[in-house]
mmCIF file of all heavy atoms in Angstrom:
data_model
loop_
_atom_site.group_PDB
_atom_site.id
_atom_site.type_symbol
_atom_site.label_atom_id
_atom_site.label_comp_id
_atom_site.label_asym_id
_atom_site.label_seq_id
_atom_site.Cartn_x
_atom_site.Cartn_y
_atom_site.Cartn_z
ATOM 1 N N GLY A 74 1.245 37.274 4.732
ATOM 2 C CA GLY A 74 2.093 36.391 3.950
ATOM 3 C C GLY A 74 1.851 36.373 2.518
ATOM 4 O O GLY A 74 2.761 36.415 1.672
ATOM 5 N N SER A 75 0.576 36.476 2.092
ATOM 6 C CA SER A 75 0.225 36.534 0.718
ATOM 7 C C SER A 75 0.784 37.775 -0.006
ATOM 8 O O SER A 75 1.252 37.746 -1.112
ATOM 9 C CB SER A 75 -1.296 36.475 0.504
ATOM 10 O OG SER A 75 -1.848 35.279 0.995
ATOM 11 N N LEU A 76 0.740 38.884 0.744
ATOM 12 C CA LEU A 76 1.238 40.184 0.113
ATOM 13 C C LEU A 76 2.728 40.085 -0.039
ATOM 14 O O LEU A 76 3.257 40.532 -1.089
ATOM 15 C CB LEU A 76 0.818 41.350 1.042
ATOM 16 C CG LEU A 76 1.279 42.755 0.644
ATOM 17 C CD1 LEU A 76 0.710 43.060 -0.717
ATOM 18 C CD2 LEU A 76 0.974 43.762 1.685
ATOM 19 N N LEU A 77 3.453 39.596 0.963
ATOM 20 C CA LEU A 77 4.925 39.523 0.809
ATOM 21 C C LEU A 77 5.288 38.535 -0.252
ATOM 22 O O LEU A 77 6.117 38.810 -1.097
ATOM 23 C CB LEU A 77 5.573 39.114 2.150
ATOM 24 C CG LEU A 77 7.087 38.861 2.213
ATOM 25 C CD1 LEU A 77 7.762 40.135 1.763
ATOM 26 C CD2 LEU A 77 7.519 38.409 3.554
ATOM 27 N N ALA A 78 4.756 37.270 -0.151
ATOM 28 C CA ALA A 78 5.156 36.277 -1.129
ATOM 29 C C ALA A 78 4.668 36.589 -2.516
ATOM 30 O O ALA A 78 5.371 36.356 -3.489
ATOM 31 C CB ALA A 78 4.557 34.925 -0.689
ATOM 32 N N GLY A 79 3.467 37.211 -2.658
ATOM 33 C CA GLY A 79 3.031 37.647 -3.967
ATOM 34 C C GLY A 79 3.785 38.658 -4.608
ATOM 35 O O GLY A 79 4.047 38.727 -5.811
ATOM 36 N N THR A 80 4.366 39.603 -3.847
ATOM 37 C CA THR A 80 5.203 40.669 -4.352
ATOM 38 C C THR A 80 6.558 40.075 -4.836
ATOM 39 O O THR A 80 7.082 40.496 -5.839
ATOM 40 C CB THR A 80 5.442 41.787 -3.291
ATOM 41 O OG1 THR A 80 4.222 42.292 -2.881
ATOM 42 C CG2 THR A 80 6.366 42.859 -3.846
ATOM 43 N N VAL A 81 7.106 39.176 -4.029
ATOM 44 C CA VAL A 81 8.350 38.528 -4.498
ATOM 45 C C VAL A 81 8.052 37.708 -5.781
ATOM 46 O O VAL A 81 8.875 37.683 -6.668
ATOM 47 C CB VAL A 81 8.889 37.604 -3.365
ATOM 48 C CG1 VAL A 81 10.169 36.811 -3.846
ATOM 49 C CG2 VAL A 81 9.261 38.455 -2.122
ATOM 50 N N LEU A 82 6.912 36.997 -5.755
ATOM 51 C CA LEU A 82 6.526 36.200 -6.932
ATOM 52 C C LEU A 82 6.370 37.112 -8.173
ATOM 53 O O LEU A 82 6.751 36.751 -9.282
ATOM 54 C CB LEU A 82 5.225 35.428 -6.659
ATOM 55 C CG LEU A 82 4.649 34.610 -7.755
ATOM 56 C CD1 LEU A 82 5.580 33.475 -8.232
ATOM 57 C CD2 LEU A 82 3.330 34.002 -7.367
ATOM 58 N N PHE A 83 5.783 38.291 -7.916
ATOM 59 C CA PHE A 83 5.591 39.247 -9.071
ATOM 60 C C PHE A 83 6.964 39.636 -9.629
ATOM 61 O O PHE A 83 7.122 39.662 -10.842
ATOM 62 C CB PHE A 83 4.890 40.492 -8.505
ATOM 63 C CG PHE A 83 5.098 41.724 -9.285
ATOM 64 C CD1 PHE A 83 4.483 41.917 -10.527
ATOM 65 C CD2 PHE A 83 5.989 42.696 -8.810
ATOM 66 C CE1 PHE A 83 4.687 43.062 -11.262
ATOM 67 C CE2 PHE A 83 6.147 43.859 -9.615
ATOM 68 C CZ PHE A 83 5.509 44.023 -10.829
ATOM 69 N N THR A 84 7.954 39.918 -8.738
ATOM 70 C CA THR A 84 9.241 40.281 -9.252
ATOM 71 C C THR A 84 9.926 39.165 -10.011
ATOM 72 O O THR A 84 10.522 39.348 -11.063
ATOM 73 C CB THR A 84 10.179 40.724 -8.025
ATOM 74 O OG1 THR A 84 9.483 41.655 -7.270
ATOM 75 C CG2 THR A 84 11.493 41.283 -8.502
ATOM 76 N N ALA A 85 9.911 37.987 -9.402
ATOM 77 C CA ALA A 85 10.548 36.783 -10.053
ATOM 78 C C ALA A 85 9.931 36.423 -11.356
ATOM 79 O O ALA A 85 10.635 36.245 -12.355
ATOM 80 C CB ALA A 85 10.439 35.596 -9.076
ATOM 81 N N SER A 86 8.599 36.492 -11.420
ATOM 82 C CA SER A 86 7.972 36.023 -12.655
ATOM 83 C C SER A 86 8.069 37.124 -13.771
ATOM 84 O O SER A 86 8.186 36.754 -14.971
ATOM 85 C CB SER A 86 6.466 35.791 -12.390
ATOM 86 O OG SER A 86 5.822 36.945 -11.872
ATOM 87 N N ALA A 87 8.128 38.399 -13.291
ATOM 88 C CA ALA A 87 8.392 39.469 -14.289
ATOM 89 C C ALA A 87 9.767 39.382 -14.919
ATOM 90 O O ALA A 87 9.932 39.530 -16.109
ATOM 91 C CB ALA A 87 8.179 40.794 -13.611
ATOM 92 N N LEU A 88 10.779 39.128 -14.048
ATOM 93 C CA LEU A 88 12.149 38.967 -14.590
ATOM 94 C C LEU A 88 12.241 37.765 -15.529
ATOM 95 O O LEU A 88 12.905 37.831 -16.545
ATOM 96 C CB LEU A 88 13.108 38.826 -13.371
ATOM 97 C CG LEU A 88 13.437 40.083 -12.638
ATOM 98 C CD1 LEU A 88 14.173 39.743 -11.335
ATOM 99 C CD2 LEU A 88 14.255 41.105 -13.469
ATOM 100 N N GLN A 89 11.569 36.702 -15.178
ATOM 101 C CA GLN A 89 11.608 35.492 -16.020
ATOM 102 C C GLN A 89 10.910 35.747 -17.288
ATOM 103 O O GLN A 89 11.497 35.395 -18.367
ATOM 104 C CB GLN A 89 10.882 34.337 -15.219
ATOM 105 C CG GLN A 89 10.968 33.031 -16.048
ATOM 106 C CD GLN A 89 9.996 32.005 -15.360
ATOM 107 O OE1 GLN A 89 8.819 32.025 -15.421
ATOM 108 N NE2 GLN A 89 10.674 31.050 -14.666
ATOM 109 N N GLN A 90 9.724 36.287 -17.253
ATOM 110 C CA GLN A 90 9.014 36.546 -18.533
ATOM 111 C C GLN A 90 9.670 37.591 -19.401
ATOM 112 O O GLN A 90 9.703 37.380 -20.646
ATOM 113 C CB GLN A 90 7.556 36.968 -18.220
ATOM 114 C CG GLN A 90 6.700 37.213 -19.408
ATOM 115 C CD GLN A 90 6.438 35.885 -20.182
ATOM 116 O OE1 GLN A 90 6.623 34.811 -19.718
ATOM 117 N NE2 GLN A 90 6.031 36.054 -21.492
ATOM 118 N N TYR A 91 10.232 38.584 -18.785
ATOM 119 C CA TYR A 91 10.972 39.556 -19.611
ATOM 120 C C TYR A 91 12.171 39.018 -20.238
ATOM 121 O O TYR A 91 12.560 39.258 -21.429
ATOM 122 C CB TYR A 91 11.368 40.753 -18.726
ATOM 123 C CG TYR A 91 11.847 42.021 -19.542
ATOM 124 C CD1 TYR A 91 11.095 42.515 -20.557
ATOM 125 C CD2 TYR A 91 13.069 42.534 -19.273
ATOM 126 C CE1 TYR A 91 11.462 43.636 -21.294
ATOM 127 C CE2 TYR A 91 13.535 43.632 -20.020
ATOM 128 C CZ TYR A 91 12.714 44.123 -21.009
ATOM 129 O OH TYR A 91 13.181 45.245 -21.768
ATOM 130 N N GLY A 92 12.891 38.074 -19.522
ATOM 131 C CA GLY A 92 14.027 37.371 -20.126
ATOM 132 C C GLY A 92 13.671 36.564 -21.297
ATOM 133 O O GLY A 92 14.402 36.536 -22.227
ATOM 134 N N VAL A 93 12.526 35.899 -21.218
ATOM 135 C CA VAL A 93 12.019 35.114 -22.349
ATOM 136 C C VAL A 93 11.645 36.046 -23.483
ATOM 137 O O VAL A 93 11.907 35.798 -24.695
ATOM 138 C CB VAL A 93 10.845 34.247 -21.997
ATOM 139 C CG1 VAL A 93 10.147 33.620 -23.194
ATOM 140 C CG2 VAL A 93 11.283 33.196 -20.926
ATOM 141 N N GLN A 94 10.977 37.179 -23.126
ATOM 142 C CA GLN A 94 10.595 38.181 -24.159
ATOM 143 C C GLN A 94 11.732 38.768 -24.869
ATOM 144 O O GLN A 94 11.632 39.145 -26.042
ATOM 145 C CB GLN A 94 9.731 39.211 -23.499
ATOM 146 C CG GLN A 94 8.936 40.096 -24.521
ATOM 147 C CD GLN A 94 7.908 40.942 -23.808
ATOM 148 O OE1 GLN A 94 7.750 40.979 -22.628
ATOM 149 N NE2 GLN A 94 7.162 41.715 -24.605
ATOM 150 N N LEU A 95 12.890 38.844 -24.229
ATOM 151 C CA LEU A 95 14.059 39.405 -24.866
ATOM 152 C C LEU A 95 14.750 38.454 -25.830
ATOM 153 O O LEU A 95 15.722 38.762 -26.454
ATOM 154 C CB LEU A 95 15.091 39.879 -23.779
ATOM 155 C CG LEU A 95 14.681 41.080 -23.010
ATOM 156 C CD1 LEU A 95 15.691 41.392 -21.888
ATOM 157 C CD2 LEU A 95 14.644 42.329 -23.911
ATOM 158 N N GLY A 96 14.221 37.248 -25.927
ATOM 159 C CA GLY A 96 14.713 36.325 -26.919
ATOM 160 C C GLY A 96 15.426 35.092 -26.462
ATOM 161 O O GLY A 96 15.887 34.338 -27.283
ATOM 162 N N THR A 97 15.433 34.880 -25.141
ATOM 163 C CA THR A 97 16.102 33.707 -24.612
ATOM 164 C C THR A 97 15.197 32.467 -24.896
ATOM 165 O O THR A 97 14.037 32.453 -24.513
ATOM 166 C CB THR A 97 16.319 33.786 -23.125
ATOM 167 O OG1 THR A 97 17.048 35.032 -22.836
ATOM 168 C CG2 THR A 97 17.146 32.635 -22.622
ATOM 169 N N PRO A 98 15.763 31.424 -25.584
ATOM 170 C CA PRO A 98 14.945 30.259 -25.913
ATOM 171 C C PRO A 98 14.386 29.598 -24.697
ATOM 172 O O PRO A 98 14.966 29.655 -23.587
ATOM 173 C CB PRO A 98 15.942 29.356 -26.655
ATOM 174 C CG PRO A 98 17.045 30.229 -27.149
ATOM 175 C CD PRO A 98 17.098 31.349 -26.105
ATOM 176 N N ALA A 99 13.247 28.862 -24.834
ATOM 177 C CA ALA A 99 12.579 28.230 -23.706
ATOM 178 C C ALA A 99 13.472 27.277 -22.992
ATOM 179 O O ALA A 99 13.550 27.258 -21.756
ATOM 180 C CB ALA A 99 11.334 27.498 -24.233
ATOM 181 N N GLY A 100 14.292 26.478 -23.722
ATOM 182 C CA GLY A 100 15.135 25.523 -23.085
ATOM 183 C C GLY A 100 16.237 26.145 -22.244
ATOM 184 O O GLY A 100 16.378 25.722 -21.066
ATOM 185 N N LYS A 101 16.859 27.170 -22.822
ATOM 186 C CA LYS A 101 17.891 27.852 -22.001
ATOM 187 C C LYS A 101 17.262 28.512 -20.806
ATOM 188 O O LYS A 101 17.917 28.557 -19.689
ATOM 189 C CB LYS A 101 18.578 28.886 -22.882
ATOM 190 C CG LYS A 101 19.637 29.619 -22.179
ATOM 191 C CD LYS A 101 20.334 30.692 -23.018
ATOM 192 C CE LYS A 101 21.276 30.142 -24.045
ATOM 193 N NZ LYS A 101 22.069 31.140 -24.749
#
Side-chain angles (χ1 to χ4, degrees):
S75 297
L76 181 60
L77 176 59
T80 301
V81 176
L82 178 61
F83 158 76
T84 306
S86 60
L88 286 168
Q89 182 189 77
Q90 182 63 20
Y91 191 57
V93 172
Q94 192 167 3
L95 287 174
T97 308
K101 181 184 284 191

